[in-house]
């Protein structure tokens, strides 16, 4: 908490104490839990003009033991947010985050969902730290300056006190056979 900005730390405490947000890891290998996440994400993605969840890939990754699904709920059991991570021994990386923050019925409802998201990330961080994971990657960074929604996501991530690291993902095709296959 000491590395976080004051707003993020205060929101985490408020979500836990005032809102009584309940955060937990779901069983990603449970087809019902996976379907419920994918359905929730697809509704979120349609609003945000994103592609739907890749259900076959999520299922394969879950069956391989590398997918973690986390959820934040109200005390009455209403789902507020999901965060889905790809997990390896020393690193977890955020793949999907979904909530209906922008479409909440009021400013206070938006604030509650924002607090739930912050608490959920905090609970995930504590879980993975206790499990010996060295890198907690919130995934992606918007380098532009015009998309206010993506700048808001950057601000959310900055609140946790981490650092931006430039990394690349790709394939190096070293053989003729590999190059011809692609």
């Amino acid at each position: 908490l000491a590395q976080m900005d004051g707003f993020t730390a205060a929101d985490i405490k408020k979500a836990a104490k005032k809102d009584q947000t309940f955060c937990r890891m779901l069983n990603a290998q449970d087809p019902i839990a996976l379907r419920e996440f994918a359905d929730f994400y697809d509704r979120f993605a349609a609003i945000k003009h994103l592609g739907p969840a890749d259900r076959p890939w999520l299922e394969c990754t879950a069956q391989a033991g590398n997918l973690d699904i986390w959820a934040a709920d109200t005390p009455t059991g209403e789902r507020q947010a999901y965060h889905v991570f790809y997990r390896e021994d020393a690193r977890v990386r955020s793949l999907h985050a979904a909530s209906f923050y922008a479409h909440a019925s009021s400013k206070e409802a938006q604030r509650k969902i924002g607090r739930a998201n912050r608490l959920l990330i905090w609970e995930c961080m504590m879980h993975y730290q206790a499990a010996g994971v060295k890198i907690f990657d919130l995934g992606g960074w918007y380098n532009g300056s015009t998309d206010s929604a993506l700048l808001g996501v950057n601000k959310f991530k900055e609140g946790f006190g981490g650092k931006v690291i430039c990394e690349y993902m790709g394939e190096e095709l070293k053989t003729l056979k590999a190059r011809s296959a692609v």
Side-chain angles (χ1 to χ4, degrees), residues 11-80:
D11 262 10
I12 289 168
K13 292 173 186 171
K14 195 179 250 186
K17 300 238 187 308
K18 178 185 175 207
D19 303 337
Q20 298 180 349
T21 302
F22 178 67
C23 300
R24 64 191 168 115
M25 184 191 302
L26 306 175
N27 179 359
Q29 294 180 342
D30 176 3
I32 295 169
L34 194 58
R35 186 188 74 241
E36 287 175 352
F37 159 71
D39 290 347
F40 187 99
Y41 181 82
D42 288 349
R43 289 190 307 275
F44 164 81
I47 292 167
K48 295 287 190 178
H49 306 290
L50 301 170
D54 184 345
R55 292 168 193 250
W57 185 88
L58 289 169
E59 289 170 15
C60 290
T61 306
Q63 292 308 313
N66 295 106
L67 192 74
D68 289 342
I69 302 173
W70 288 79
D73 297 332
T74 66
T76 59
E78 181 185 344
R79 185 66 31 94
Q80 292 184 297

Side-chain angles (χ1 to χ4, degrees), residues 88-162:
E88 296 174 322
D89 292 336
R91 179 185 189 137
V92 295
R93 182 178 193 281
S94 177
L95 296 175
H96 298 293
S99 67
F100 294 101
Y101 169 84
H103 292 82
S105 58
S106 68
K107 284 290 183 191
E108 181 52 31
Q110 284 183 336
R111 285 191 282 272
K112 265 183 137 171
I113 292 170
R115 291 191 297 262
N117 270 296
R118 287 175 178 84
L119 178 62
L120 185 55
I121 291 290
W122 172 250
E123 293 286 334
C124 293
M125 291 170 83
M126 294 297 94
H127 170 83
Y128 293 121
Q129 181 183 43
V133 172
K134 303 291 183 217
I135 300 171
F136 186 85
D137 181 352
L138 285 172
W141 186 261
Y142 175 61
N143 284 322
S145 60
T146 57
D147 189 321
S148 60
L150 292 177
L151 289 168
V153 173
N154 283 358
K155 186 173 176 53
F156 175 86
K157 292 176 182 182
E158 279 177 337
F160 289 93

